[in-house]
Structures are given as structure tokens and as C-alpha cells.
């Protein structure tokens, strides 16, 4: 009978602290998916092309390979910008085609979107994606099954841990008034994320008829918090993976790029090992589960 997972990080005694810099290269797709198709929100997404050039320059100067989660929309709408990502040796991972959260789709719609996006990635890179990140980090009850059936190595959409990848489960049951029932662990490696380590809620100002996301926090304060997260990982685990999530149209503003550059330098000086998510997931698979990648 499935039971609650138990962390085993104390069993690993190799001092190694991995950082994955990840970029969700949405451009206009997220705004279109939310029905925000007037010129100004679309131009906000377009600024991601400016941000992407700045990020690529920073990564090249720092000799860092990162992971870019690119919707099929961006690949087909901004081919040159995506080719630049591939040319610089970065991993291209799956981020849907249309940036519609899977929880809003039927199984058939979700699979069609997944296949369409993977075909776009294969045309861009020569191979299908090894990793997946859902739009808005909201999986459906079918997502894990679909990722397994389409041969993915890892997912990066869940928040059940911080520095310790784990096996994604399927079939969890949550009902009001009843105890939680854990489903079965699968072969899919979960590379956990957090809204607190995502640039969007910290920086983006969004106003709709029903809500306001204030954003606009100090970039240096946010980067200080992100630096402290790495320090805590070093203090508490012998081996771990820390994932930062950024969007080129968000982090790409000049003053935020300066703050990000400072963070990257500080992490490197502190001993961070920068890896793509596919590399980190493969290492986690061997170290944690004793399986070849």
C-alpha cells in the first residue's frame, strides 16, 4: 500500500550543490492564453526577445548552460530567437504549445498540444524534449501518464520538495473530510520548483477587472533572498538541486539583469555547480534511485 514519501538525503554524502537556471520563453503565448490580446500586453511578451538576447549574453560570458522551456508558439513565431538558444548549447524543454494549463484541457486536448509542441521542439533541436514544465504549474490528472507514455525523463511543475528531486506520483486522492491517499510512484523524476523562486510574482505588475498582482519588488532584495536559499541548501544537504525560474520578458529589464548577474557571480564563488535540468535529473536518477539515465 503506497505510503507518504520519506526524504533520504542524509544517506547521500557527496558535497555537491547544483543550480539550474531555467527560463520560460513564453513571449506572447501566456497573454494570448489569458485572452489578453490587445497591443500593450502583447508588446510585453514581445519584450522577451530583448530579454532573451541579454540572458544569452550573460550565460555565454559566465560559461553556463541553462534550460529554456519554450512553448511551440514561440518556436514557430520567433524561430531566430529560438535558434540562438540552441546555437549556444542550451537545453530546450517542453512548455506546451499554446501555454494553456493542462488542468483546463481534456486528455485529448492535452495530448494533442503536447505532441504538437514536441514536434516543434524536434524540428528546432533534432530531438524531442526530455523535460516538461506545465504552463502556470497546474497539472491535470492525466499529465503524469501522458509524460510517461511520451518518454519524458523529468517534470518541473510540482512543489513537494525543495532541494531533493523525487519520483512523481499519480493517482493521489484528496477529498474533503477524508485522509489523504498517496498514489503510486512513477519513473518520472520530479525537479521541484517554487513560486518564491520565480521572477514573475516578484516583479510583474498585472491589472485585470478582478485582480491586481502588484509585483515591482526590488531586484536586489529578491536576488538576496535567492542567494540565501542556496546558502541554506549548502548548510542542510550534502547533495541537492536548486531551481530558479525566470521569464525573459520579466528578468530581462536592465536593472534586473544587473541583479541577476550579481547573483550568478555570487553563486559561482560559493561553489554552485551549474547544470541543465536534464543533466541534473540524470544525476539525480543515478544518485537517488541507482538507475542509469
Amino acid at each position: 500500500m503506497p505510503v507518504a514519501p520519506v526524504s533520504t538525503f542524509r544517506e547521500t554524502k557527496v558535497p555537491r550543490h547544483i543550480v539550474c537556471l531555467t527560463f520560460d520563453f513564453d513571449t506572447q503565448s501566456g497573454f494570448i492564453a489569458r485572452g489578453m490580446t490587445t497591443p500593450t500586453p502583447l508588446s510585453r511578451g514581445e519584450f522577451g526577445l530583448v530579454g532573451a538576447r541579454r540572458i544569452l549574453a550573460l550565460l555565454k560570458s559566465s560559461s553556463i548552460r541553462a534550460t529554456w522551456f519554450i512553448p511551440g508558439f514561440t518556436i514557430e513565431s520567433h524561430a531566430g530567437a529560438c535558434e540562438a538558444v540552441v546555437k549556444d548549447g542550451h537545453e530546450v524543454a517542453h512548455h506546451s504549445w499554446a501555454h494553456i494549463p493542462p488542468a483546463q484541457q481534456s486528455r485529448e486536448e492535452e495530448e494533442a498540444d503536447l505532441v504538437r509542441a514536441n514536434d516543434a521542439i524536434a524540428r528546432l533541436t533534432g530531438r524531442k524534449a526530455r523535460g516538461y514544465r506545465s504552463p502556470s504549474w497546474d497539472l491535470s490528472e492525466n499529465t503524469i501518464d501522458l509524460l510517461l507514455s511520451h518518454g519524458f525523463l523529468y517534470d518541473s511543475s510540482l512543489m513537494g520538495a525543495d532541494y531533493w528531486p523525487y519520483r512523481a506520483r499519480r493517482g493521489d486522492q484528496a477529498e474533503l473530510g477524508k485522509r489523504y491517499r498517496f498514489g503510486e510512484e512513477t519513473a518520472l523524476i520530479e525537479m521541484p520548483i517554487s513560486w518564491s523562486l520565480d521572477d514573475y510574482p516578484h516583479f510583474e505588475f498585472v491589472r485585470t477587472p478582478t485582480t491586481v498582482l502588484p509585483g515591482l519588488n526590488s531586484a536586489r532584495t529578491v536576488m538576496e533572498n535567492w542567494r540565501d536559499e542556496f546558502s541554506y541548501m549548502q548548510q542542510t544537504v550534502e547533495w541537492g538541486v536548486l531551481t530558479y525560474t525566470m521569464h525573459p520578458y520579466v528578468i530581462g529589464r536592465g536593472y534586473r539583469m544587473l541583479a541577476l548577474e550579481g547573483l550568478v557571480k555570487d553563486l559561482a564563488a560559493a561553489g554552485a555547480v551549474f547544470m541543465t535540468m536534464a543533466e541534473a535529473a540524470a544525476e539525480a536518477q543515478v544518485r537517488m534511485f541507482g538507475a542509469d539515465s
Side-chain angles (χ1 to χ4, degrees):
M1 179 177 179
V3 297
V6 177
S7 172
T8 58
F9 71 83
R10 292 184 178 85
E11 299 172 9
T12 303
K13 298 298 182 183
V14 179
R16 183 170 169 86
H17 299 97
I18 297 168
V19 167
C20 293
L21 300 180
T22 70
F23 301 91
D24 293 2
F25 196 12
D26 300 336
T27 62
Q28 299 99 329
S29 64
F31 295 100
I32 295 171
R34 294 176 175 87
M36 302 171 68
T37 56
T38 52
T40 295
L42 292 178
S43 71
R44 289 173 69 176
E46 186 176 347
F47 182 76
L49 302 175
V50 177
R53 291 193 294 270
R54 293 172 176 173
I55 293 164
L56 288 174
L58 171 60
L59 295 174
K60 179 177 288 188
S61 68
S62 305
S63 300
I64 292 173
R65 293 173 61 242
T67 298
W68 292 65
F69 291 89
I70 310 183
F73 167 91
T74 301
I75 294 172
E76 297 187 13
S77 301
H78 306 290
C82 296
E83 289 166 1
V85 172
V86 176
K87 181 180 178 181
D88 281 2
H90 301 292
E91 177 191 5
V92 174
H94 199 296
H95 197 42
S96 82
W97 197 96
H99 208 279
I100 299 172
Q104 298 177 12
Q105 297 174 309
S106 68
R107 183 185 179 97
E108 292 72 23
E109 291 170 336
E110 183 178 356
E111 185 165 27
D113 184 276
L114 187 151
V115 170
R116 184 183 181 188
N118 231 352
D119 287 345
I121 291 171
R123 289 192 297 270
L124 174 68
T125 69
R127 62 173 299 170
K128 294 181 178 180
R130 301 188 73 194
Y132 174 83
R133 173 174 287 164
S134 69
S136 303
W137 286 335
D138 196 6
L139 302 183
S140 77
E141 61 182 10
N142 303 305
T143 304
I144 301 300
D145 282 337
L146 290 173
L147 295 179
L148 289 167
S149 66
H150 286 273
F152 283 82
L153 168 66
Y154 72 87
D155 171 64
S156 183
S157 310
L158 301 178
M159 308 182 186
D162 45 16
Y163 317 128
W164 198 251
Y166 59 96
R167 291 202 181 278
R169 297 188 306 274
R170 59 183 166 191
D172 283 18
Q173 297 180 27
E175 297 181 62
L176 184 64
K178 297 185 179 180
R179 70 175 180 85
Y180 196 85
R181 296 181 180 273
F182 292 92
E184 64 170 336
E185 288 188 344
T186 71
L188 190 70
I189 303 296
E190 184 59 43
M191 305 295 285
I193 41 76
S194 169
W195 281 113
S196 66
L197 301 175
D198 184 311
D199 63 354
Y200 191 94
H202 292 296
F203 297 138
E204 277 299 282
F205 177 84
V206 179
R207 181 180 59 205
T208 72
T210 58
T211 187
V212 172
L213 176 66
L216 307 182
N217 289 312
S218 163
R220 295 193 182 277
T221 298
V222 173
M223 295 303 147
E224 183 178 357
N225 292 341
W226 286 11
R227 189 179 300 109
D228 286 346
E229 188 76 18
F230 178 78
S231 297
Y232 189 79
M233 177 173 71
Q234 286 188 309
Q235 293 174 19
T236 57
V237 300
E238 294 288 338
W239 179 92
V241 181
L242 180 59
T243 298
Y244 298 106
T245 301
M246 290 164 278
H247 302 73
Y249 72 85
V250 179
I251 201 68
R253 300 300 309 186
Y255 72 100
R256 294 173 188 157
M257 288 300 303
L258 285 175
L260 176 60
E261 181 180 355
L263 173 68
V264 169
K265 289 179 178 178
D266 287 347
L267 293 176
V273 179
F274 293 97
M275 302 178 73
T276 68
M277 293 215 79
E279 292 168 338
E283 183 167 318
Q285 191 174 47
V286 173
R287 288 174 177 267
M288 298 170 59
F289 309 117
D292 294 334
S293 59

